[in-house]
Protein backbone atom coordinates (compact mmCIF):
# COMPACT_ATOMS: atom_id res chain seq x y z
CA UNK A 1 0.00 0.00 0.00
CA UNK A 2 2.92 2.38 -0.52
CA UNK A 3 2.27 3.28 -4.14
CA UNK A 4 1.43 6.91 -3.35
CA UNK A 5 4.89 7.48 -2.02
CA UNK A 6 7.49 5.69 -4.02
CA UNK A 7 9.63 5.10 -0.93
CA UNK A 8 9.33 8.51 0.78
CA UNK A 9 8.17 8.85 4.40
CA UNK A 10 4.45 9.56 4.34
CA UNK A 11 3.19 12.79 5.87
CA UNK A 12 0.00 11.12 7.07
CA UNK A 13 -0.14 7.37 7.31
CA UNK A 14 -3.15 5.24 8.20
CA UNK A 15 -2.23 1.62 8.83
CA UNK A 16 -4.73 -1.17 8.90
CA UNK A 17 -7.32 0.76 10.88
CA UNK A 18 -10.42 -0.98 12.13
CA UNK A 19 -13.33 1.03 13.54
CA UNK A 20 -16.28 -0.23 15.55
CA UNK A 21 -19.32 1.88 16.49
CA UNK A 22 -21.35 1.16 19.62
CA UNK A 23 -19.05 -1.78 20.50
CA UNK A 24 -20.57 -4.00 17.80
CA UNK A 25 -20.89 -2.32 14.41
CA UNK A 26 -17.73 -3.01 12.43
CA UNK A 27 -17.43 -0.22 9.86
CA UNK A 28 -13.76 0.00 8.83
CA UNK A 29 -12.18 -3.37 8.19
CA UNK A 30 -8.51 -2.60 7.98
CA UNK A 31 -8.06 0.62 6.01
CA UNK A 32 -4.55 1.70 5.01
CA UNK A 33 -3.69 4.86 3.14
CA UNK A 34 -0.94 7.44 2.86
CA UNK A 35 -0.84 11.12 2.10
CA UNK A 36 2.57 12.36 0.96
CA UNK A 37 3.58 15.87 1.96
CA UNK A 38 2.15 18.57 -0.27
CA UNK A 39 -0.24 16.29 -2.14
CA UNK A 40 -3.98 16.06 -2.59
CA UNK A 41 -5.29 12.56 -1.98
CA UNK A 42 -8.92 11.66 -2.71
CA UNK A 43 -10.81 9.13 -0.64
CA UNK A 44 -13.67 7.96 -2.83
CA UNK A 45 -16.63 5.70 -2.44
CA UNK A 46 -20.40 5.55 -2.37
CA UNK A 47 -22.77 6.44 0.39
CA UNK A 48 -21.88 4.62 3.61
CA UNK A 49 -18.54 3.28 2.34
CA UNK A 50 -16.73 4.64 5.40
CA UNK A 51 -15.12 7.84 4.12
CA UNK A 52 -16.25 10.09 6.97
CA UNK A 53 -15.43 7.38 9.48
CA UNK A 54 -11.89 7.20 8.09
CA UNK A 55 -11.44 10.97 8.40
CA UNK A 56 -12.85 10.99 11.93
CA UNK A 57 -10.59 8.13 12.96
CA UNK A 58 -7.65 10.32 11.90
CA UNK A 59 -8.85 13.51 13.57
CA UNK A 60 -9.87 11.56 16.70
CA UNK A 61 -13.43 12.86 16.41
CA UNK A 62 -14.88 9.35 16.61
CA UNK A 63 -15.07 9.31 20.35
CA UNK A 64 -17.96 11.78 20.36
CA UNK A 65 -19.91 9.34 18.20
CA UNK A 66 -19.37 6.21 20.21
CA UNK A 67 -16.88 4.98 17.67
CA UNK A 68 -13.53 3.43 18.48
CA UNK A 69 -10.39 2.54 16.60
CA UNK A 70 -9.93 -1.08 17.65
CA UNK A 71 -6.93 -1.99 15.47
CA UNK A 72 -4.21 -0.31 13.51
CA UNK A 73 -2.30 2.93 13.89
CA UNK A 74 -2.18 6.47 12.56
CA UNK A 75 0.96 8.56 12.17
CA UNK A 76 1.35 12.20 11.25
CA UNK A 77 4.77 13.67 10.47
CA UNK A 78 6.41 10.49 11.70
CA UNK A 79 4.65 10.45 15.08
CA UNK A 80 1.81 8.30 16.37
CA UNK A 81 -1.23 10.54 16.81
CA UNK A 82 -4.02 8.08 17.64
CA UNK A 83 -4.13 9.09 21.29
CA UNK A 84 -4.14 12.85 20.84
CA UNK A 85 -7.12 15.14 21.37
CA UNK A 86 -8.47 17.06 18.37
CA UNK A 87 -6.97 20.25 19.84
CA UNK A 88 -3.52 18.72 20.12
CA UNK A 89 -3.82 17.61 16.52
CA UNK A 90 -4.77 21.11 15.42
CA UNK A 91 -1.64 22.40 17.13
CA UNK A 92 0.39 19.87 15.17
CA UNK A 93 -1.09 21.28 11.98
CA UNK A 94 -3.99 19.00 11.14
CA UNK A 95 -7.57 20.24 10.87
CA UNK A 96 -10.76 18.55 9.75
CA UNK A 97 -13.57 20.27 7.87
CA UNK A 98 -16.63 18.22 8.73
CA UNK A 99 -19.21 17.00 6.28
CA UNK A 100 -22.23 19.29 6.05
CA UNK A 101 -20.31 22.54 6.58
CA UNK A 102 -21.23 23.21 10.21
CA UNK A 103 -21.11 26.97 10.46
CA UNK A 104 -22.59 28.76 13.41
CA UNK A 105 -25.70 30.13 11.73
CA UNK A 106 -26.28 32.95 14.18
CA UNK A 107 -22.71 34.28 13.91
CA UNK A 108 -21.45 36.44 11.06
CA UNK A 109 -19.08 35.02 8.49
CA UNK A 110 -16.18 36.84 10.11
CA UNK A 111 -17.09 35.66 13.60
CA UNK A 112 -17.21 32.10 12.28
CA UNK A 113 -13.74 32.53 10.82
CA UNK A 114 -12.42 33.89 14.10
CA UNK A 115 -13.59 30.78 15.96
CA UNK A 116 -11.06 28.84 13.87
CA UNK A 117 -8.15 30.59 15.55
CA UNK A 118 -9.10 29.66 19.09
CA UNK A 119 -6.36 27.06 19.54
CA UNK A 120 -3.72 29.62 18.64
CA UNK A 121 -2.54 32.08 21.15
CA UNK A 122 -2.05 34.98 18.83
CA UNK A 123 -1.89 38.74 18.72
CA UNK A 124 -4.49 40.99 17.16
CA UNK A 125 -2.16 41.78 14.30
CA UNK A 126 -1.61 38.12 13.59
CA UNK A 127 -5.33 37.50 13.71
CA UNK A 128 -5.96 40.28 11.21
CA UNK A 129 -3.29 38.88 8.92
CA UNK A 130 -4.85 35.40 9.14
CA UNK A 131 -8.26 36.85 8.26
CA UNK A 132 -6.82 38.73 5.29
CA UNK A 133 -5.22 35.51 4.11
CA UNK A 134 -8.61 33.77 4.17
CA UNK A 135 -10.21 36.71 2.34
CA UNK A 136 -7.45 36.57 -0.23
CA UNK A 137 -8.38 32.98 -1.10
CA UNK A 138 -12.12 33.50 -0.65
CA UNK A 139 -12.94 37.02 -1.91
CA UNK A 140 -16.63 36.12 -1.69
CA UNK A 141 -16.30 35.82 2.06
CA UNK A 142 -14.86 39.30 2.31
CA UNK A 143 -17.97 40.78 0.73
CA UNK A 144 -20.14 38.71 3.07
CA UNK A 145 -18.07 39.24 6.21
CA UNK A 146 -20.84 40.93 8.22
CA UNK A 147 -23.68 38.65 7.05
CA UNK A 148 -25.10 36.10 9.40
CA UNK A 149 -23.81 32.71 8.18
CA UNK A 150 -27.25 31.15 8.40
CA UNK A 151 -28.38 33.45 5.61
CA UNK A 152 -25.46 32.88 3.26
CA UNK A 153 -25.57 30.37 0.39
CA UNK A 154 -24.47 26.74 0.65
CA UNK A 155 -21.30 27.52 -1.29
CA UNK A 156 -20.48 30.44 0.99
CA UNK A 157 -21.03 28.26 4.03
CA UNK A 158 -18.67 25.64 2.64
CA UNK A 159 -16.12 28.40 2.01
CA UNK A 160 -16.63 29.67 5.55
CA UNK A 161 -16.03 26.17 6.91
CA UNK A 162 -12.79 25.82 4.93
CA UNK A 163 -11.78 29.39 5.80
CA UNK A 164 -12.29 28.70 9.49
CA UNK A 165 -10.00 25.66 9.20
CA UNK A 166 -7.39 27.86 7.53
CA UNK A 167 -7.40 30.22 10.51
CA UNK A 168 -5.61 27.49 12.48
CA UNK A 169 -2.74 27.65 9.91
CA UNK A 170 -2.85 23.94 9.14
CA UNK A 171 -0.36 22.05 7.01
CA UNK A 172 -2.87 19.25 6.46
CA UNK A 173 -6.63 19.52 5.97
CA UNK A 174 -9.06 16.61 6.11
CA UNK A 175 -11.90 17.80 3.93
CA UNK A 176 -15.15 15.86 4.05
CA UNK A 177 -17.41 16.03 1.02
CA UNK A 178 -16.91 19.68 0.00
CA UNK A 179 -19.16 19.28 -3.06
CA UNK A 180 -22.18 18.08 -1.13
CA UNK A 181 -25.40 19.76 -2.27
CA UNK A 182 -23.63 22.43 -4.31
CA UNK A 183 -24.12 23.45 -7.93
CA UNK A 184 -21.37 22.22 -10.31
CA UNK A 185 -19.99 25.72 -10.87
CA UNK A 186 -19.59 26.34 -7.14
CA UNK A 187 -18.00 22.91 -6.73
CA UNK A 188 -15.38 23.88 -9.33
CA UNK A 189 -14.80 27.21 -7.58
CA UNK A 190 -14.16 25.45 -4.29
CA UNK A 191 -11.88 22.83 -5.81
CA UNK A 192 -9.89 25.57 -7.58
CA UNK A 193 -9.31 27.20 -4.20
CA UNK A 194 -8.26 23.84 -2.73
CA UNK A 195 -5.74 23.49 -5.56
CA UNK A 196 -4.50 27.03 -4.96
CA UNK A 197 -4.01 26.40 -1.26
CA UNK A 198 -2.19 23.21 -2.08
CA UNK A 199 0.12 24.81 -4.63
CA UNK A 200 0.80 28.15 -2.98
CA UNK A 201 0.61 27.35 0.71
CA UNK A 202 1.74 23.73 0.42
CA UNK A 203 -1.26 22.50 2.40
CA UNK A 204 -1.73 18.73 2.03
CA UNK A 205 -5.28 17.44 1.64
CA UNK A 206 -7.13 14.23 2.29
CA UNK A 207 -10.41 14.76 0.53
CA UNK A 208 -13.45 12.51 0.98
CA UNK A 209 -15.81 12.70 -1.97
CA UNK A 210 -18.69 10.86 -3.58
CA UNK A 211 -18.16 13.08 -6.59
CA UNK A 212 -15.44 10.84 -8.02
CA UNK A 213 -14.68 12.46 -11.32
CA UNK A 214 -14.37 16.00 -9.99
CA UNK A 215 -12.21 14.87 -7.07
CA UNK A 216 -9.90 12.89 -9.38
CA UNK A 217 -9.38 15.93 -11.59
CA UNK A 218 -7.90 17.84 -8.68
CA UNK A 219 -6.23 15.05 -6.71
CA UNK A 220 -2.79 13.51 -7.21
CA UNK A 221 -3.75 10.11 -5.94
CA UNK A 222 -6.95 8.28 -5.05
CA UNK A 223 -8.26 5.45 -2.93
CA UNK A 224 -11.64 3.83 -3.48
CA UNK A 225 -13.41 2.57 -0.40
CA UNK A 226 -16.18 0.07 -0.46
CA UNK A 227 -17.88 -1.36 2.56
CA UNK A 228 -15.06 -0.34 4.89
CA UNK A 229 -12.20 -1.59 2.73
CA UNK A 230 -9.89 -0.05 0.14
CA UNK A 231 -10.75 -1.88 -3.07
CA UNK A 232 -8.59 0.12 -5.42
CA UNK A 233 -5.90 2.80 -5.33
CA UNK A 234 -3.80 4.61 -7.86
CA UNK A 235 -2.60 7.73 -9.52
CA UNK A 236 -5.60 10.07 -9.98
CA UNK A 237 -5.24 10.29 -13.75
CA UNK A 238 -4.98 6.53 -14.10
CA UNK A 239 -7.98 5.97 -11.84
CA UNK A 240 -10.05 8.49 -13.81
CA UNK A 241 -9.18 6.69 -17.05
CA UNK A 242 -9.71 3.23 -15.59
CA UNK A 243 -12.52 1.34 -17.30
CA UNK A 244 -13.72 -0.28 -14.06
CA UNK A 245 -13.95 3.08 -12.30
CA UNK A 246 -15.79 4.63 -15.23
CA UNK A 247 -18.11 1.68 -15.50
CA UNK A 248 -19.01 1.82 -11.87
CA UNK A 249 -19.03 5.53 -11.12
CA UNK A 250 -20.43 6.82 -14.34
CA UNK A 251 -23.05 4.08 -14.47
CA UNK A 252 -21.94 2.82 -17.86
CA UNK A 253 -22.59 -0.81 -17.08
CA UNK A 254 -25.62 -2.40 -18.75
CA UNK A 255 -26.98 -4.20 -15.69
CA UNK A 256 -27.48 -1.09 -13.55
CA UNK A 257 -25.19 -0.02 -10.75
CA UNK A 258 -23.17 -2.96 -9.48
CA UNK A 259 -20.78 -3.27 -6.64
CA UNK A 260 -17.36 -2.02 -7.63
CA UNK A 261 -15.93 -5.34 -6.56
CA UNK A 262 -18.26 -7.23 -8.88
CA UNK A 263 -17.25 -5.05 -11.78
CA UNK A 264 -13.61 -5.62 -11.02
CA UNK A 265 -13.94 -9.37 -10.68
CA UNK A 266 -16.04 -9.60 -13.76
CA UNK A 267 -13.49 -7.70 -15.80
CA UNK A 268 -10.70 -9.75 -14.43
CA UNK A 269 -12.46 -12.89 -15.52
CA UNK A 270 -13.04 -11.45 -18.93
CA UNK A 271 -9.37 -10.66 -19.33
CA UNK A 272 -8.54 -14.16 -18.29
CA UNK A 273 -10.73 -15.63 -20.95
CA UNK A 274 -9.47 -13.32 -23.67
N1 LIG B 1 -22.16 7.05 14.91
C1 LIG B 1 -22.42 5.93 14.22
N2 LIG B 1 -22.96 4.84 14.81
C2 LIG B 1 -23.21 3.72 14.11
N3 LIG B 1 -22.95 3.55 12.81
C3 LIG B 1 -22.43 4.60 12.14
C4 LIG B 1 -22.14 5.83 12.81
N4 LIG B 1 -21.62 6.69 11.89
C5 LIG B 1 -21.60 6.01 10.73
N5 LIG B 1 -22.08 4.75 10.86
C6 LIG B 1 -22.19 3.73 9.81
O1 LIG B 1 -20.90 3.50 9.29
C7 LIG B 1 -20.94 3.30 7.87
C8 LIG B 1 -20.00 4.26 7.20
O2 LIG B 1 -20.46 5.59 7.41
P1 LIG B 1 -19.65 6.87 6.91
O3 LIG B 1 -20.42 8.04 7.36
O4 LIG B 1 -18.24 6.73 7.32
O5 LIG B 1 -19.75 6.70 5.33
P2 LIG B 1 -19.40 7.73 4.17
O6 LIG B 1 -18.57 7.00 3.19
O7 LIG B 1 -18.86 8.97 4.74
O8 LIG B 1 -20.84 8.00 3.53
P3 LIG B 1 -21.45 9.35 2.88
O9 LIG B 1 -20.87 9.45 1.51
O10 LIG B 1 -22.91 9.10 2.85
O11 LIG B 1 -21.05 10.50 3.74
C9 LIG B 1 -22.40 3.46 7.46
O12 LIG B 1 -22.95 2.19 7.33
C10 LIG B 1 -23.02 4.20 8.63
O13 LIG B 1 -24.35 3.86 8.77
MG1 LIG C 1 -19.47 10.91 4.75
Amino acid sequence: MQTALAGATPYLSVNNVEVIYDHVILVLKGVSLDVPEGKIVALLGANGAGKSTTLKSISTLLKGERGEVTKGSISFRGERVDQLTPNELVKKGMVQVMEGRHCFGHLTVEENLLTGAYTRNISRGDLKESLERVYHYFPRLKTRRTSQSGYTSGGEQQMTAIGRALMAKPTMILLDEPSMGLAPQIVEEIFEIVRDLNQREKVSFLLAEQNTMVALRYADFGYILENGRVVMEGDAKELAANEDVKEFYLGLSSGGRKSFRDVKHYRRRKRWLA
Side-chain angles (χ1 to χ4, degrees):
M1 291 275 176
Q2 301 291 318
T3 13
L5 296 164
T9 314
Y11 201 51
L12 170 69
S13 184
V14 175
N15 305 298
N16 204 24
V17 161
E18 181 181 277
V19 168
I20 296 182
Y21 282 113
D22 287 321
H23 300 291
V24 286
I25 310 167
L26 176 62
V27 170
L28 295 191
K29 302 160 185 169
V31 167
S32 297
L33 60 87
D34 291 321
V35 180
E37 187 167 7
K39 299 288 180 195
I40 301 177
V41 172
L43 183 59
L44 308 163
N47 213 324
K51 303 179 297 295
S52 297
T53 302
T54 304
L55 295 197
K56 287 182 216 160
S57 72
I58 300 166
S59 58
T60 71
L61 290 173
L62 273 180
K63 292 180 185 103
E65 303 200 12
R66 314 219 297 159
E68 199 186 346
V69 175
T70 43
K71 269 191 202 152
S73 64
I74 296 162
S75 308
F76 180 51
R77 302 163 79 171
E79 252 182 87
R80 285 285 291 263
V81 291
D82 349 9
Q83 301 305 325
L84 298 185
T85 64
N87 272 0
E88 287 169 330
L89 260 185
V90 172
K91 284 189 183 142
K92 288 198 178 292
M94 192 194 308
V95 180
Q96 174 164 1
V97 180
M98 306 270 277
E99 186 180 289
R101 312 195 263 275
H102 293 283
C103 296
F104 300 107
H106 59 290
L107 298 184
T108 65
V109 167
E110 186 154 303
E111 285 164 347
N112 264 286
L113 295 176
L114 291 173
T115 64
Y118 76 103
T119 49
R120 293 168 58 206
N121 200 356
I122 53 175
S123 67
R124 260 171 188 276
D126 203 357
L127 204 59
K128 196 158 186 302
E129 198 185 299
S130 297
L131 265 181
E132 286 309 320
R133 178 166 158 258
V134 172
Y135 291 142
H136 167 76
Y137 283 98
F138 297 97
R140 261 170 189 266
L141 294 186
K142 190 162 190 174
T143 62
R144 303 288 266 143
R145 66 202 294 176
T146 57
S147 307
Q148 234 179 302
S149 275
Y151 294 110
T152 62
S153 71
E156 287 161 351
Q157 289 183 25
Q158 184 60 268
M159 291 175 190
T160 304
I162 300 172
R164 185 176 56 197
L166 277 182
M167 292 294 287
K169 286 204 171 166
T171 55
M172 162 112 230
I173 297 182
L174 309 174
L175 186 52
D176 199 351
E177 211 92 44
S179 79
M180 193 197 256
L182 301 179
Q185 197 189 332
I186 305 293
V187 172
E188 293 296 334
E189 194 177 325
I190 287 173
F191 273 89
E192 286 292 336
I193 295 167
V194 165
R195 176 183 277 161
D196 237 23
L197 285 167
N198 171 253
Q199 291 181 348
R200 294 201 211 172
E201 310 263 335
K202 306 291 171 229
V203 180
S204 310
F205 283 89
L206 177 59
L207 186 80
E209 260 299 343
Q210 279 197 35
N211 197 337
T212 308
M213 287 306 161
V214 173
L216 285 177
R217 264 197 286 119
Y218 289 89
D220 298 294
F221 199 85
Y223 291 88
I224 298 179
L225 263 190
E226 192 175 295
N227 200 11
R229 288 195 173 91
V230 173
V231 291
M232 197 175 187
E233 62 177 86
D235 182 81
K237 285 199 182 67
E238 284 167 22
L239 277 184
N242 183 290
E243 288 303 320
D244 294 348
V245 174
K246 283 200 274 192
E247 194 171 351
F248 181 55
Y249 286 102
L250 298 179
L252 299 177
S253 64
S254 50
R257 208 175 149 103
K258 295 182 221 157
S259 152
F260 182 70
R261 293 196 142 195
D262 293 344
V263 172
K264 208 163 82 165
H265 294 159
Y266 162 72
R267 290 191 59 87
R268 230 184 243 151
R269 208 169 56 236
K270 226 169 45 174
R271 262 183 234 122
W272 240 76
L273 293 172

